[in-house]
Amino acid sequence: FSAPRMADFLQLLVAGLAVLILADIVLAQAQGLAWVLAGVVPWGLHLGMTQGLLATMVAGAAPAHLRGTAFGFFNLVSGAAMLIASVLAGLLWDQLGAAVTFYAGAAFSVLALVLILRRVS
């Protein structure tokens, strides 16, 4: 990717993470269906902002002859991370409750955001 295009991708990724942090905080504090919906909407917005973006970044970074392998590896790593995150979230939810689970999600998102911003600057 060209530098300006990558900068656009990173801006969208950063914005998506910020929306996810908002969603997690709202869901952690949700007291009733209206607040749950208020947290689910930005969660869905985050997914819309970032999921296609990540696939586009993989496609753009991989050489044409390795693109299938790159997608396979990306999906392998994403799946493993999702499994680990789901087990951790389930343990947190079971032992400490829903709010702690969503605050932990927000904390991991803040960590990812900080690491991305440090890498870019």
Side-chain angles (χ1 to χ4, degrees), residues 48-95:
M49 294 170 75
T50 60
Q51 294 307 297
L53 175 66
L54 295 175
T56 301
M57 291 174 81
V58 169
H65 70 284
L66 292 175
R67 200 160 289 144
T69 301
F71 274 107
F73 186 73
F74 172 73
N75 287 313
L76 171 70
V77 171
S78 296
M82 186 72 78
L83 177 62
I84 293 166
S86 296
V87 168
L88 179 59
L91 290 170
L92 286 173
W93 193 297
D94 188 52
Q95 299 297 315

